Amino acid sequence: MDSLPPLIASLARGLDLPGTAMAIVDGERTGLPLLFVNPGFQRLLGHSGAALRLLGHSGAALAGTPLRDLMALAGDTDLPAVIARVLRHGVPTTDTVACHRRDGSRLWTEMTVTPVEDHDGHRYLICMQRDADEPRRSGLALAVFDNTHDGILVTDADKVIIDTNPAFTRLTGYTREEALGHKPHLLSSGKHDDAFYHTLFATIEAQGFWSGDIWNTRKDGSQLIVNATISAVHDADGRLLNYVSVFRDITQQRLNQARLERMAIYDPLTGLYNREHFIATLETHLVSLQYTESGIAVLFMDLDDFKPINDGFGHAAGDELLVEIGRRLKRLMRSTDIVARFGGDEFVIALTGMGNGDKAVKVAQKIVDALVQPFRLDNGASVGIAVSIGVAFTNDYRLDTATLIDSADQAMYDAKVGGKNRIARARRFVESRSRATFQRVRQAFETGELELYYQPIVDLASDRTLFFEALARWRHPQAGVLAPQHFIDVIMHSSLSLPFGRWLVHEASQMAKHLQDRGFRVGISINLSQEQIETGSFLRAISDSRDALRLSTPYLTIEVLESSQFHDLDLTCSQLLEAKQLGTSVSLDDFGAGISSITYASQLPIDTLKIDRSAINGIDTQASQRQFVGGIIDMAHAMQRKVLAEGVERRAQLEELRRCRCDLAQGFLLGEPMPADELTRRYLDPTARPDYPLQRRPAVRA
């Protein structure tokens, strides 16, 4: 290459790409003699193996050979005419030419000829070729490629589209000619960020392929959701040649699925919950009353004067009014309350965490005050309505949902008898719940009967314990060690909630300090409730503990329950960001168990997604569950989050999680919750040999 003109030597070095056939010819000399060919060019025409070694790495033995003689062109394409056109117009030209290989067989190639000039005006031609026969060499391959209903897109190693099939055009609206030379980003909908594609191609590099759903956009701008498999194609030497994407349109399937899921939960007109979902959710809250020091109130609401509006202005105006009523109700209610439309002009609300029925009546009065304000319809008319509300309250978990709703319904009719905009209370319930349970839990908390147990969280890449989750236990003098279901709901729904949150932070920080002093870089994870986070009371506890104990980062992880219903998501983000600045990390617990997961995963400043044990349970026995968990892991990695799987109890589950590239795992298989003294014995004792040793802090260099 040292003997080549400087311009040609520079081009040869810069354009000699793996898998690319390239030749540089002298455009001024008769016969267009070759100045340089790369190994890809020689392999394309059959000068490989022993012949290639004779020619030398740079194809020096071919130097001076006329391009026409070497290629022995056949067919209708006149290469000299192509060259003359390039030289005359000075622009690159692409054409398909038929060649003969070294062994005499015919090969169709797609050749791109590009003219360049040096500073003296001497013209050279850069010829890039690719095998145009390969995708269609087999009659079967041709039939599959051209007739399959799945779209096929082929790119080169640089992800530039070099071929598409007819189904691609039918699905995307782009012709083959419009797609060639572009990157698949041509179809991008903007719904996937760079991290998604980075993870996609990282998976292809690691596994050879990626499979999943991609949200694209057709040429006309409409939505196109595809299920795609993208594979990497390598040559015999392992060099990457192409990416091949085979995809099918699942847009309607996904939209139908989403529509059905929404219909199962929401009223199609107002977007509020429907009757079925309201009853199911209310039943769950009723069951939880056995652990709490609070009650539930159901408000059954019926509109007065709605029929005249519907009859006078039409059903469209009536629907418009119902939608606006739904909006006003949602603005009035807390995120923990349940608002539903039962049908017609009936609305039902469940107020959770109510101390007594009087508070529920006050809420009902706020609803009346809000709904009697005039409504302005799209036609410009201003209308008003009246409302009757029945209130039923209970703190008895044994009550069934039907009785509670029916009682509120009956009270609503009592309200109607009294006139418009009235509220009536159900007379069936006596608000009498003993405070004995609450007082006993308070005593346990104040006298130190509550303590923390610690369950290891293991890094699957290193098989070392990186964290311990702190789990509250009640060491009852008579009943022994009690699990959280015996006391935690009482704490979280009472005045003990905030003091308990601060106690959690201090106790966990003490254990983190103990581990750090022994030379280990292991953090403690704690669960904080919605109230503890929203009030910000935990921030002072974190700051005080960090300063008093001189803790180094990381030392604490805050687990946010997926079931939390934050009133102000922006405020919550701010609180958690401040906690991270104090040296903590944030994890979203029970991911995949509820409908808030995706929202919280995308908006809260979390570092780790913790997959709920219900999703992990069948991962080793059910293919659908493996795909579900694998999808969560891929999504989390695309969002730059780590993934922790809880509830791992079988070796087969652990191996499946490893195959899915899960980061962390927790469960009885890896270690049961243990008190602080047992943790010391199992992990910190000089003779201890744990299966998953603690991660040590890196040595400080002198």
Side-chain angles (χ1 to χ4, degrees):
M1 193 177 292
D2 294 337
S3 62
L4 296 176
L7 174 62
I8 300 307
S10 174
L11 290 172
R13 282 191 295 268
L15 298 176
D16 188 8
L17 303 175
T20 301
M22 181 184 73
I24 302 178
V25 302
D26 190 331
E28 299 285 358
R29 294 172 57 188
T30 303
L32 304 173
L34 291 166
L35 299 178
F36 171 85
V37 296
N38 72 343
F41 181 90
Q42 299 172 75
R43 281 193 296 270
L44 180 67
L45 297 183
H47 297 276
S48 57
L52 184 58
R53 287 194 292 274
L54 291 173
L55 292 170
H57 175 69
S58 64
L62 297 179
T65 303
L67 178 62
R68 183 183 183 92
D69 292 350
L70 177 66
M71 299 183 65
L73 293 175
D76 298 330
T77 302
D78 184 0
L79 181 63
V82 173
I83 299 299
R85 189 164 62 251
V86 172
L87 293 174
R88 182 169 60 254
H89 298 290
V91 295
T93 297
T94 299
D95 216 326
T96 302
V97 295
C99 310
H100 284 304
R101 293 188 183 88
R102 179 182 175 87
D103 62 6
S105 61
R106 192 175 73 165
L107 169 69
W108 283 96
T109 70
E110 185 177 273
M111 174 183 285
T112 299
V113 183
T114 304
V116 295
E117 290 186 5
D118 62 14
H119 65 279
D120 295 324
H122 195 100
R123 292 180 294 181
Y124 302 94
L125 300 173
I126 302 172
C127 301
M128 297 287 197
Q129 286 177 276
R130 72 176 184 91
D131 184 351
D133 258 351
E134 187 61 29
R136 297 171 171 82
R137 189 163 294 138
S138 164
L140 176 60
L142 174 61
V144 171
F145 191 85
D146 285 345
N147 296 301
T148 180
H149 293 288
D150 291 343
I152 300 177
L153 179 152
V154 184
T155 76
D156 60 18
D158 295 321
K159 306 182 184 72
V160 176
I161 299 173
I162 61 173
D163 208 353
T164 65
N165 72 337
F168 172 90
T169 298
R170 186 172 63 255
L171 294 174
T172 69
Y174 290 98
T175 65
R176 179 176 182 274
E177 291 70 23
E178 290 173 324
L180 294 182
H182 292 278
K183 293 195 173 185
H185 189 72
L186 175 76
L187 304 173
S188 174
S189 65
K191 291 184 179 292
H192 303 294
D193 57 16
D194 291 340
F196 171 83
Y197 294 105
H198 175 78
T199 301
L200 185 155
F201 283 103
T203 301
I204 295 175
E205 183 176 355
Q207 302 179 0
F209 73 97
W210 175 91
S211 183
D213 296 346
I214 302 178
W215 292 65
N216 284 331
T217 303
R218 295 183 177 89
K219 182 181 178 181
D220 62 7
S222 61
Q223 182 175 250
L224 172 64
I225 308 173
V226 301
N227 179 259
T229 296
I230 305 174
S231 305
V233 180
H234 299 83
D235 64 13
D237 298 323
R239 284 184 288 267
L240 176 65
L241 299 180
N242 305 98
Y243 293 103
V244 178
S245 173
V246 180
F247 61 91
R248 62 182 53 192
D249 183 1
I250 61 168
T251 307
Q252 199 57 48
Q253 174 186 335
R254 287 289 295 270
L255 293 178
N256 289 341
Q257 179 183 352
R259 189 177 298 111
L260 289 173
E261 290 175 352
R262 184 168 182 83
M263 288 173 60
I265 296 176
Y266 297 101
D267 169 54
L269 176 63
T270 63
L272 302 175
Y273 288 137
N274 61 21
R275 177 192 295 265
E276 291 74 17
H277 187 71
F278 177 88
I279 293 173
T281 307
L282 178 61
E283 184 174 2
T284 301
H285 283 284
L286 276 173
V287 172
S288 70
L289 289 181
Q290 61 185 309
Y291 306 117
T292 65
E293 188 66 22
S294 63
I296 292 177
V298 169
L299 280 55
F300 203 106
M301 185 180 79
D302 184 76
L303 304 182
D304 300 314
D305 301 331
F306 177 72
K307 189 175 185 301
I309 295 174
N310 218 12
D311 294 341
F313 295 98
H315 289 286
D319 288 349
E320 183 186 338
L321 179 60
L322 293 174
V323 169
E324 181 56 32
I325 289 172
R327 290 181 183 142
R328 292 191 186 183
L329 290 176
K330 283 191 284 189
R331 286 196 294 266
L332 285 170
M333 296 300 104
R334 302 167 301 171
S335 59
T336 52
D337 299 328
I338 315 165
V339 186
R341 179 185 176 219
F342 266 31
D345 57 355
E346 292 181 339
F347 296 82
V348 183
I349 301 167
L351 305 174
T352 62
M354 288 285 104
N356 53 61
D358 293 336
K359 292 183 178 179
V361 172
K362 291 180 180 178
V363 174
Q365 187 59 55
K366 289 183 179 179
I367 293 174
V368 172
D369 294 341
L371 296 187
V372 297
Q373 301 301 316
F375 294 84
R376 183 167 296 278
L377 303 177
D378 286 345
N379 61 14
S382 179
V383 299
I385 60 168
V387 60
S388 299
I389 301 179
V391 179
F393 172 85
T394 187
N395 50 24
D396 186 354
Y397 72 91
R398 295 166 297 184
L399 193 70
D400 62 275
T401 56
T403 301
L404 186 59
I405 294 172
D406 289 346
S407 299
D409 188 10
Q410 184 57 54
M412 182 271 296
Y413 282 104
D414 292 341
K416 280 186 177 292
V417 173
K420 297 179 179 180
N421 298 322
R422 296 298 181 95
I423 301 167
R425 292 179 62 169
R427 292 165 288 183
R428 180 175 297 183
F429 301 101
V430 179
E431 298 162 17
S432 58
R433 180 174 176 86
S434 171
R435 293 182 56 83
T437 302
F438 171 73
Q439 294 295 350
R440 183 62 187 92
V441 172
R442 177 190 289 276
Q443 179 187 1
F445 177 67
E446 293 176 346
T447 59
E449 292 179 8
L450 300 187
E451 63 182 82
L452 293 182
Y453 273 46
Y454 300 90
Q455 185 173 31
I457 297 173
V458 175
D459 174 60
L460 297 185
S462 65
D463 279 342
R464 291 190 173 273
T465 299
L466 300 190
F467 301 91
F468 287 95
E469 182 178 7
L471 303 165
R473 296 291 186 268
W474 181 0
R475 194 174 292 277
H476 196 284
Q478 288 80 41
V481 178
L482 299 179
Q485 62 262 33
H486 294 281
F487 61 92
I488 200 67
D489 279 340
V490 174
I491 289 176
M492 294 306 176
H493 293 88
S494 70
S495 58
L496 294 176
S497 176
L498 299 186
F500 180 79
R502 292 190 290 268
W503 173 80
L504 266 180
V505 171
H506 289 306
E507 289 294 307
S509 297
Q510 289 282 358
M511 176 55 74
K513 175 64 173 176
H514 181 52
L515 294 169
Q516 288 187 5
D517 287 347
R518 299 292 291 270
F520 296 104
R521 190 184 181 195
V522 178
I524 306 298
S525 179
I526 60 173
N527 286 279
L528 293 182
S529 71
Q530 171 189 341
E531 182 183 25
Q532 290 161 352
I533 293 173
E534 287 186 322
T535 60
S537 64
F538 72 109
L539 292 172
R540 180 63 180 271
I542 291 174
S543 178
D544 291 346
S545 297
R546 185 194 64 172
D547 295 341
L549 299 174
R550 297 182 179 180
L551 288 162
S552 60
T553 303
Y555 65 97
L556 197 66
T557 296
I558 298 168
E559 291 193 12
V560 180
L561 288 174
E562 189 279 337
S563 57
S564 300
Q565 299 291 324
F566 295 109
H567 296 86
D568 188 335
L569 202 55
D570 290 337
L571 174 62
T572 300
C573 290
S574 176
Q575 304 278 32
L576 293 176
L577 284 171
E578 186 173 349
K580 294 181 72 168
Q581 292 172 354
L582 292 171
T584 72
S585 60
V586 180
S587 174
L588 180 60
D589 197 4
D590 296 340
F591 187 84
I595 61 175
S596 301
S597 296
I598 300 300
T599 299
Y600 288 164
S602 61
Q603 297 187 27
L604 293 180
I606 62 175
D607 306 287
T608 305
L609 298 184
K610 190 171 183 180
I611 304 179
D612 184 69
R613 65 179 63 247
S614 63
I616 299 301
N617 185 46
I619 191 175
D620 57 334
T621 58
Q622 302 173 29
S624 60
Q625 207 64 15
R626 285 193 294 273
Q627 293 172 352
F628 176 66
V629 172
I632 291 177
I633 293 172
D634 289 341
M635 181 202 70
H637 288 169
M639 298 170 66
Q640 305 299 307
R641 268 72 162 166
K642 288 190 174 182
V643 181
L644 165 59
E646 66 174 352
V648 180
E649 299 179 356
R650 299 185 293 275
R651 181 67 58 181
Q653 291 175 323
L654 185 63
E655 294 309 314
E656 288 296 340
L657 289 170
R658 291 186 189 276
R659 277 191 281 272
C660 290
R661 299 184 303 114
C662 187
D663 304 294
L664 305 163
Q666 175 184 1
F668 288 172
L669 179 69
L670 306 171
E672 298 183 4
M674 67 198 82
D677 57 351
E678 187 175 348
L679 185 155
T680 299
R681 179 177 61 80
R682 289 190 182 185
Y683 291 88
L684 304 181
D685 190 280
T687 61
R689 296 292 183 271
D691 293 335
Y692 302 96
L694 305 182
Q695 176 178 258
R696 286 197 169 274
R697 299 175 66 183
V700 180
R701 295 184 178 178

